[in-house]
């Protein structure tokens, strides 16, 4: 399992909650669809990139972002409980949370996800502002071990409703993707983690039917046994239960 990239304040409460939310989004197939599309689109767009005809890094990035948005809206629309929309940027809604997707501005392997700047997009900056307004982390402060928060101070990371998936296309055709809770301030994340096959789930989805004009029947997801939260056991702690799922 890949460890999350902790914020400068090491917000372990946000980290733990992000891992839980990531498992939930992986279980329904959203992260598998997005990460597979990122891989496919970046390879294809890089192969047809023609600097001799005037293509540059900006045109390549815009082409890949639009391809991802258009295909993701088509392919995610019939996953159970998932809503995907093109709002000038890809927006995915599931289980009461909203996910925005954005491409990293660099193709260098030395680029770090903590270098992301939400000010580059109004939509993403507003999402980071919304998270910052509902959750006040005490990690790394003098009040970290206090039992009682100040009035109006919410220390529960479950209030975080906005997720961001940042993906990076490298010059060799490979990709990297991260998922996290964006925030305003000197550090862009409450918590963020690198997505790999372990994180996005061992899920088989036949997406070819989604590219057909008359694909009216729900797709089938073959999901492995996954740990998902069981709120009935303890609403405060949200322990996990083992389930095996098949969506049709």
């Amino acid at each position: 399992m890949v460890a999350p990239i902790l914020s400068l304040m090491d917000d372990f409460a946000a980290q733990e909650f992000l891992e839980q939310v990531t498992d939930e989004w992986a279980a329904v197939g959203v992260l598998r669809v997005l990460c597979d599309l990122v891989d496919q689109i970046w390879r294809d767009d890089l192969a047809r990139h023609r600097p001799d005809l005037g293509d540059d890094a900006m045109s390549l990035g815009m082409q890949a972002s639009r391809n991802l948005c258009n295909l993701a809206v088509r392919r995610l629309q019939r996953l159970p409980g998932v809503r995907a929309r093109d709002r000038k940027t890809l927006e995915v809604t599931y289980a009461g949370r909203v996910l925005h997707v954005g491409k990293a501005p660099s193709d260098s392997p030395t680029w770090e996800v903590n270098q992301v700047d939400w000010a580059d997009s109004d939509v993403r900056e507003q999402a980071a502002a919304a998270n910052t307004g509902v959750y006040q982390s005490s990690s790394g402060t003098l009040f970290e071990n206090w039992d009682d928060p100040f009035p109006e101070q919410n220390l529960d990371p479950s209030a975080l409703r906005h997720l961001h998936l940042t993906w990076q296309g490298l010059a060799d055709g490979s990709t990297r993707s991260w998922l996290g809770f964006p925030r305003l301030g000197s550090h862009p994340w409450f918590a963020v983690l690198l997505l790999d096959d372990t994180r996005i789930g061992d899920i088989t989805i036949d997406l070819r039917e989604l590219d057909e004009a008359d694909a009216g029947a729900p797709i089938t997801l073959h999901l492995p046994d996954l740990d998902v939260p069981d709120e009935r056991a303890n609403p405060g702690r949200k322990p996990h239960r083992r389930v095996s799922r098949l969506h049709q």
Side-chain angles (χ1 to χ4, degrees), residues 84-110:
R85 294 186 293 173
D86 178 359
R87 302 191 64 185
K88 297 183 180 179
T89 182
L90 178 59
E91 179 182 283
V92 185
T93 304
Y94 173 67
R97 288 185 169 78
V98 179
L99 168 70
H100 291 108
V101 179
K103 182 182 178 299
S106 170
D107 65 359
S108 170
T110 62

Side-chain angles (χ1 to χ4, degrees), residues 106-122:
S106 170
D107 65 359
S108 170
T110 62
W111 185 84
E112 298 289 343
V113 71
N114 290 329
Q115 296 175 256
V116 70
D117 186 357
W118 307 127
D120 292 339
S121 164
D122 289 343

Side-chain angles (χ1 to χ4, degrees), residues 1 26 28 50 55 69 75 81 112 127 136 138 140 168 177 185 190 206:
M1 180 177 294
V28 78
R50 293 286 302 274
D55 288 346
C69 183
R75 294 185 177 186
E112 298 289 343
Q136 294 78 44
S138 63
Q168 182 189 29
S177 297
F190 282 115
D206 186 358

Side-chain angles (χ1 to χ4, degrees), residues 75 78-80 205-207 209-210 217-221 247-248:
R75 294 185 177 186
R78 290 184 6 257
L79 293 184
I205 308 175
D206 186 358
L207 294 173
E209 60 188 272
L210 293 179
I219 63 172
T220 299
L221 308 184
H247 287 303
Q248 283 192 331

